[in-house]
Amino acid sequence: MMDARRLFPVDQVVLREVGLRDGLQLTRHYPTTQQKLDWLSREYRAGVRHFEVGSFLPSTRFPQFADLRVLIDATSRLDGAYSTALTLNERGVADALETQVDEMIFVVSATESHSMANTRRSRAEAIEMLARIDAQRRAGRSDLPVLTAGIAMSFGCSLEGEVNPRDVIDISERAIKAGADVLAIADTVGFGGPAQVAWMVRELRRALGDDQPIAMHFHDTRGLALANCAAALDNGIRVLDGCLGGLGGCPFAPGATGNTVFEDMVFLCKTMGLQTNIDIDGLLAARKVVAASMPDEPLHGALARAGLPKVLEDA
Amino acid sequence: MMDARRLFPVDQVVLREVGLRDGLQLTRHYPTTQQKLDWLSREYRAGVRHFEVGSFLPSTRFPQFADLRVLIDATSRLDGAYSTALTLNERGVADALETQVDEMIFVVSATESHSMANTRRSRAEAIEMLARIDAQRRAGRSDLPVLTAGIAMSFGCSLEGEVNPRDVIDISERAIKAGADVLAIADTVGFGGPAQVAWMVRELRRALGDDQPIAMHFHDTRGLALANCAAALDNGIRVLDGCLGGLGGCPFAPGATGNTVFEDMVFLCKTMGLQTNIDIDGLLAARKVVAASMPDEPLHGALARAGLPKVLEDA
């Protein structure tokens, strides 16, 4: 296993901006490359260091990610910044290995139905592909990118409804055995609540050890993203995904809110006394750039409406 | 001390609808009496049993609460339902004692500045008034209404910024000594986060005993209401305030979200395995009535946009 701790140091809260990938997955409009670069550099100046910037998919079908290589290059020129991209098959990995991307995410579903419906692969076949991808990266680039297994539908499934949390632990263990360095546990459809998150984190850490880097990826579909983040942080998770303005809806709930609102997540960390090195005012300024680049997309988030509390304003 | 456990039984989650009071405190428009009664009865049918229905204030200045007595009467005719009203001075208490109201809330500020600015009374004077109100209710009605001390600005103050949490414990203890049966700890301006809530609940229970009924009242001003509810529930709190559609803004943050969204709070409890006896579909239907009665007031809430997850739909 490569040292994923370079990207995700122990005991340092890492808030990862996934808007340039997950936030644009479903939007009808998307920013120009120049607007994306502006978004990236403004958030970087506000202190953000981890960016999911796209998905290695055919640009004919996913034009919103056609400039992915430009964004990876731009990120690699920012001191201390890291880029992440989805690589959903060997073709995507081959493309990724020709770039300086720091982290590749391969997605495995927690449920068999979603795995088959989404990728026409069983979960077992997905784990086999993950092992091949691990071998592929080792053959392909001397400075290995981190390989992360994203576990989709970890707290509920759009097809199966309830998900057995033991299945999530099981597939997570298999993903690590197959070669993943990092886990990203995703509540893809926003079904989960904080008690389930707390249980999951404790069981994952028991199964895989406290050394295992684990990211949590929540959606605010049913309003519990920040409660889930708090539960994850309380139980030792230090890597959380979010998106400025909470872009990124849910394909199964039209009109629903999207990813955890990034700026509100930073505020949550501040109230918990956790250092993020991220400046909320800088984020709110960056948010305006995102809004201007996609005027038809509704942005979410409480802090943008209410402003910072007096406590932090004075700080 | 009267037995406040009649209203707030140990180990039963009580979600109190405060929309008819706190939700209407700041709105430019408010429902007609008939619309309020419809709101009340629909939520009652969905399983809600605790309603804050208004404030005993001069109806010339607060016309939205002019029909308070009608709502108290209506609540008293609903089997197992309880009404609560604010009584901010002896005049209000005298008026309340002529009704069948089940609970009177007297508000004390956690900070001296807010106490003086809001009521022209010091905190010490407010506690003295609370003691007089306790005597007044004992002289005034044989079936004593519960007396609750609402502690405003408990997690941050619009005037002072940071609030010393020890001051909140201190004023809470003094309020109980002065005769209050119940505490309602309020994050009036939405400054608090879940770690502060957890600390506060643990310290309050340590100071006052696990038998002391304590309600928590959060505002979603900065997006943390549900995270704060989860932290409160995790630490043993069983009484939470909320409002259908999250009505009730913040006077210090124009445009901000209001009270904890009631229906999302019920969903949170369900994800935590806590029984509320409240039907979310019934709430969503009631919400439509509220929306229709105040077409210009923005309603908030994730569940109304996204719908129930498949897990609960099938249940």
Side-chain angles (χ1 to χ4, degrees):
Chain A
M1 167 171 147
M2 69 88 62
D3 186 15
R5 288 297 179 195
R6 183 173 63 92
L7 267 70
F8 306 117
V10 181
D11 285 340
Q12 186 183 308
V13 173
V14 168
L15 302 181
R16 178 163 54 184
E17 170 60 73
V18 301
L20 289 157
R21 200 283 303 172
D22 202 4
L24 304 181
Q25 191 80 42
L26 295 167
T27 52
R28 280 156 306 158
H29 310 284
Y30 48 90
T32 65
T33 303
Q34 196 50 53
Q35 287 168 330
K36 287 183 183 181
L37 291 169
D38 196 17
W39 174 353
L40 188 76
S41 71
R42 279 172 190 265
E43 268 198 274
Y44 176 80
R45 270 181 275 155
V48 183
R49 291 294 175 266
H50 294 72
F51 298 92
E52 191 178 86
V53 290
S55 189
F56 281 97
L57 290 167
S59 60
T60 44
R61 283 185 51 217
F62 297 90
Q64 65 266 52
F65 302 131
D67 53 10
L68 170 56
R69 288 162 187 80
V70 178
L71 298 174
I72 291 171
D73 279 355
T75 309
S76 72
R77 284 193 299 272
L78 297 171
D79 189 36
Y82 301 102
S83 63
T84 298
L86 290 198
T87 51
L88 301 175
N89 51 41
E90 285 122 321
R91 171 63 189 271
V93 171
D95 289 346
L97 292 174
E98 287 171 9
T99 73
Q100 288 306 303
V101 75
D102 296 293
E103 181 189 16
M104 306 188 299
I105 302 188
F106 178 75
V107 177
V108 182
S109 292
T111 68
E112 198 68 13
S113 311
H114 182 257
S115 188
M116 293 304 299
N118 200 39
T119 64
R120 274 169 279 171
R121 285 193 289 267
S122 69
R123 289 176 294 182
E125 286 166 338
I127 293 292
E128 283 164 24
M129 182 176 280
L130 178 62
R132 291 199 299 277
I133 285 174
D134 179 38
Q136 191 182 355
R137 70 166 169 155
R138 288 174 193 282
R141 222 175 78 184
S142 56
D143 58 329
L144 282 193
V146 170
L147 179 57
T148 294
I151 313 293
M153 305 288 174
S154 287
F155 295 94
C157 172
S158 51
L159 299 168
E160 297 192 10
E162 213 154 334
V163 170
N164 184 343
R166 285 278 162 215
D167 285 359
V168 179
I169 309 293
D170 178 58
I171 199 127
S172 296
E173 288 185 285
R174 283 154 65 200
I176 295 299
K177 271 190 204 134
D181 308 308
V182 175
L183 289 170
I185 306 295
D187 184 12
T188 312
V189 285
F191 281 21
Q196 292 141 291
V197 169
W199 184 93
M200 182 75 77
V201 172
R202 285 194 298 263
E203 290 299 310
L204 281 170
R205 297 184 73 184
R206 185 184 307 192
L208 297 162
D210 291 348
D211 256 14
Q212 173 61 53
I214 301 172
M216 303 293 284
H217 177 103
F218 297 115
H219 279 243
D220 200 33
T221 319
R222 285 164 190 92
L224 296 184
L226 291 170
N228 290 342
C229 287
L233 291 165
D234 270 343
N235 287 281
I237 291 295
R238 287 295 173 265
V239 188
L240 293 170
D241 289 351
C243 172
L244 216 53
L247 276 172
C250 173
F252 306 100
T257 38
N259 287 281
T260 308
V261 176
F262 197 93
E263 60 272 25
D264 291 354
M265 185 166 67
V266 177
F267 175 64
L268 168 70
C269 289
K270 285 193 194 291
T271 72
M272 296 177 80
L274 296 167
Q275 190 81 25
T276 64
N277 302 314
I278 297 172
D279 170 50
I280 291 180
D281 282 329
L283 286 184
L284 293 177
R287 188 188 144 109
K288 285 182 187 149
V289 172
V290 175
S293 72
M294 289 184 285
D296 294 333
E297 291 299 329
L299 296 191
H300 309 283
L303 216 57
R305 280 192 298 262
L308 274 178
K310 195 174 170 64
V311 185
L312 289 174
E313 262 175 14
D314 297 348
Chain B
M1 164 173 149
M2 70 88 60
D3 186 14
R5 287 297 179 196
R6 183 173 64 91
L7 266 70
F8 305 117
V10 181
D11 285 340
Q12 185 183 309
V13 173
V14 168
L15 303 181
R16 179 163 51 185
E17 169 60 71
V18 301
L20 289 158
R21 200 285 301 172
D22 202 5
L24 304 181
Q25 191 81 43
L26 296 166
T27 53
R28 280 157 305 157
H29 311 284
Y30 49 89
T32 64
T33 303
Q34 195 49 53
Q35 286 168 332
K36 287 184 182 180
L37 291 169
D38 195 17
W39 174 352
L40 189 76
S41 70
R42 279 171 190 268
E43 269 198 273
Y44 176 79
R45 270 180 275 156
V48 183
R49 291 293 176 268
H50 294 71
F51 297 92
E52 190 177 87
V53 290
S55 190
F56 281 97
L57 290 167
S59 61
T60 44
R61 284 185 50 220
F62 297 90
Q64 66 267 50
F65 302 131
D67 53 10
L68 171 55
R69 287 162 187 81
V70 178
L71 298 174
I72 291 172
D73 279 354
T75 309
S76 72
R77 285 193 298 272
L78 297 171
D79 189 36
Y82 301 102
S83 63
T84 298
L86 289 199
T87 51
L88 301 175
N89 51 41
E90 286 121 322
R91 171 66 188 270
V93 171
D95 289 345
L97 292 174
E98 288 171 8
T99 73
Q100 289 305 304
V101 75
D102 296 293
E103 181 189 16
M104 307 188 299
I105 303 189
F106 178 76
V107 177
V108 182
S109 292
T111 68
E112 198 68 14
S113 312
H114 183 258
S115 187
M116 293 304 299
N118 200 40
T119 63
R120 274 170 278 171
R121 286 194 288 266
S122 69
R123 288 176 294 182
E125 287 166 337
I127 293 292
E128 284 163 23
M129 183 177 279
L130 178 63
R132 290 199 300 277
I133 285 174
D134 179 39
Q136 191 182 356
R137 69 166 170 156
R138 289 175 192 280
R141 221 175 78 184
S142 57
D143 57 328
L144 284 192
V146 170
L147 179 57
T148 294
I151 313 295
M153 305 289 174
S154 287
F155 295 96
C157 173
S158 50
L159 299 168
E160 297 192 11
E162 213 153 336
V163 169
N164 184 343
R166 286 278 163 215
D167 286 359
V168 179
I169 310 292
D170 179 56
I171 199 127
S172 296
E173 287 186 285
R174 285 155 63 200
I176 295 298
K177 270 189 203 135
D181 308 307
V182 175
L183 290 170
I185 305 295
D187 185 12
T188 314
V189 285
F191 281 19
Q196 292 140 291
V197 169
W199 184 93
M200 183 75 77
V201 172
R202 284 194 299 264
E203 290 300 309
L204 281 171
R205 296 184 74 184
R206 186 184 305 190
L208 296 163
D210 292 347
D211 255 14
Q212 173 61 53
I214 301 172
M216 304 292 284
H217 177 103
F218 297 115
H219 278 244
D220 200 34
T221 320
R222 287 163 188 90
L224 296 184
L226 291 170
N228 290 343
C229 287
L233 291 166
D234 270 342
N235 287 281
I237 291 295
R238 289 294 173 266
V239 188
L240 293 171
D241 289 352
C243 172
L244 217 53
L247 277 171
C250 173
F252 306 99
T257 38
N259 286 280
T260 308
V261 176
F262 198 93
E263 60 272 25
D264 292 354
M265 185 165 68
V266 177
F267 176 64
L268 168 71
C269 289
K270 284 192 195 290
T271 72
M272 296 177 81
L274 297 168
Q275 190 80 24
T276 63
N277 302 315
I278 296 173
D279 170 51
I280 292 180
D281 283 329
L283 287 183
L284 294 177
R287 188 188 144 109
K288 285 183 187 152
V289 171
V290 175
S293 72
M294 290 183 285
D296 294 332
E297 291 298 329
L299 296 191
H300 308 284
L303 216 57
R305 281 192 298 264
L308 275 178
K310 196 175 169 63
V311 185
L312 289 174
E313 262 175 16
D314 297 349

